[in-house]
């Protein structure tokens, strides 16, 4: 079963490892018929489609969990939702349609105190950032990777590569923008609002 949930407000400061533990404890409290690993230290095995960076909110998170008995999606949502805080809200539960390896892009809504020069930033011939890799650090031109969907005075909506291939964190885009303007940005919030497959379909 794939369970979709929001991660907002204070929950954005929960690391991915702590989020796994939180969901495992919540599933146990909810007394849902979930499968546990065998061995000396049994635990509920969860698979998160696209782990979220610390400090970023989301309305489109999900994880997969195996069940050992039939239970309706609505009952899963009701019982699990009652075991979680308001900052982690269950949206729906359903059988998986796409595989996590199909994920190609993610959409982010960024609220800034001022995004006036963002168009100028994107109009550069190239936008070079330093990105950590398994071999150390590398210079990367991120301009071809940034899709601007909407730009208002204080709001930017971007679609960025995500998944098992190329990944671009919105914080890296903002770091480049900050270097471009030469001033420290006041970021109000970053929210992941959608995850998409290669054909443009919403990940479900």
């Amino acid at each position: 079963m794939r369970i979709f949930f929001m991660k907002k407000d204070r929950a954005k400061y929960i690391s991915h490892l702590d989020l796994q533990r939180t969901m495992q404890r919540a599933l146990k409290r909810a007394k849902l018929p979930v499968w546990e690993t065998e061995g000396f230290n049994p635990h509920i095995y969860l698979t998160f489609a696209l782990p979220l960076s610390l400090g970023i909110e989301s309305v489109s998170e999900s994880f997969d969990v195996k069940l050992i008995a039939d239970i309706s999606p609505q009952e899963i949502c009701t019982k699990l939702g009652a075991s979680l805080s308001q900052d982690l809200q269950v949206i729906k539960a359903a059988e998986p349609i796409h595989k996590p390896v199909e994920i190609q892009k993610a959409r982010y809504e960024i609220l800034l105190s001022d995004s006036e020069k963002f168009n100028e930033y994107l109009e550069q011939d190239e936008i070079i950032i330093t990105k950590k890799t398994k071999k150390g650090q590398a210079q990367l031109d991120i301009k071809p990777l940034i899709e601007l969907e909407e730009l208002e005075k204080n709001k930017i909506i971007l679609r960025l590569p995500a998944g098992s291939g190329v990944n671009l964190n919105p914080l890296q885009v903002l770091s480049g923008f900050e270097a471009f303007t030469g001033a420290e940005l006041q970021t109000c919030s970053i929210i992941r609002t959608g995850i998409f497959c290669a054909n443009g379909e919403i990940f479900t």
Side-chain angles (χ1 to χ4, degrees):
M1 188 66 71
R2 181 162 291 161
I3 299 173
F4 294 85
F5 65 97
M6 297 182 184
K7 186 184 180 190
K8 302 187 74 177
D9 300 324
R10 294 171 300 174
K12 69 182 179 182
Y13 299 113
I14 299 175
S15 70
H16 179 60
L17 183 58
D18 285 337
L19 177 64
Q20 286 182 306
R21 293 168 178 158
T22 298
M23 287 301 181
Q24 287 170 341
R25 289 195 294 265
L27 287 164
K28 286 186 177 181
R29 285 197 300 269
K31 298 188 183 331
L32 292 172
V34 295
W35 177 81
E36 294 190 37
T37 59
E38 298 177 356
F40 182 73
N41 185 28
H43 62 275
I44 299 170
Y45 185 76
L46 307 178
T47 305
F48 287 77
L50 190 63
L52 193 65
S53 297
L54 196 68
I56 298 178
E57 298 177 274
S58 178
V59 295
S60 59
E61 297 306 284
S62 69
F63 66 85
D64 294 353
V65 63
K66 292 182 180 181
L67 302 178
I68 57 175
D70 290 335
I71 182 172
S72 72
Q74 184 57 51
E75 190 174 356
I76 291 174
C77 292
T78 300
K79 289 185 174 181
L80 181 58
S83 299
L84 292 169
S85 70
Q86 291 185 342
D87 299 336
L88 290 169
Q89 298 178 23
V90 178
I91 302 171
K92 68 175 182 177
E95 292 187 15
I97 296 176
H98 301 106
K99 296 178 181 179
V101 293
E102 296 180 63
I103 295 173
Q104 290 279 315
K105 298 201 174 171
R107 186 200 293 125
Y108 298 90
E109 180 179 296
I110 304 168
L111 299 181
L112 295 175
S113 56
D114 187 3
S115 60
E116 182 181 353
K117 295 184 179 180
F118 199 77
N119 258 332
E120 293 178 39
Y121 170 61
L122 294 184
E123 286 170 358
Q124 298 177 95
D125 293 335
E126 57 182 13
I127 302 173
I128 305 296
I129 67 165
T130 301
K131 190 172 183 180
K132 291 181 180 180
T133 67
K134 293 180 180 178
K135 297 181 180 180
Q137 293 185 334
Q139 299 291 302
L140 176 67
D141 180 11
I142 62 172
K143 179 176 178 176
L145 306 178
I146 302 172
E147 295 179 34
L148 178 63
E149 291 194 356
E150 186 177 328
L151 176 61
E152 297 179 4
K153 183 178 180 181
N154 302 107
K155 182 171 73 173
I156 303 167
I157 298 180
L158 301 176
R159 193 174 293 215
L160 304 175
S164 57
V166 179
N167 277 277
L168 183 58
N169 191 310
L171 293 171
Q172 294 171 316
V173 178
L174 292 179
S175 177
F177 183 42
E178 189 173 69
F180 174 76
T181 61
E184 186 176 348
L185 295 174
Q186 297 298 317
T187 307
C188 303
S189 69
I190 304 174
I191 305 173
R192 186 153 72 191
T193 59
I195 297 173
F196 304 89
C197 300
N199 58 7
E201 289 184 355
I202 296 174
F203 178 75
T204 53

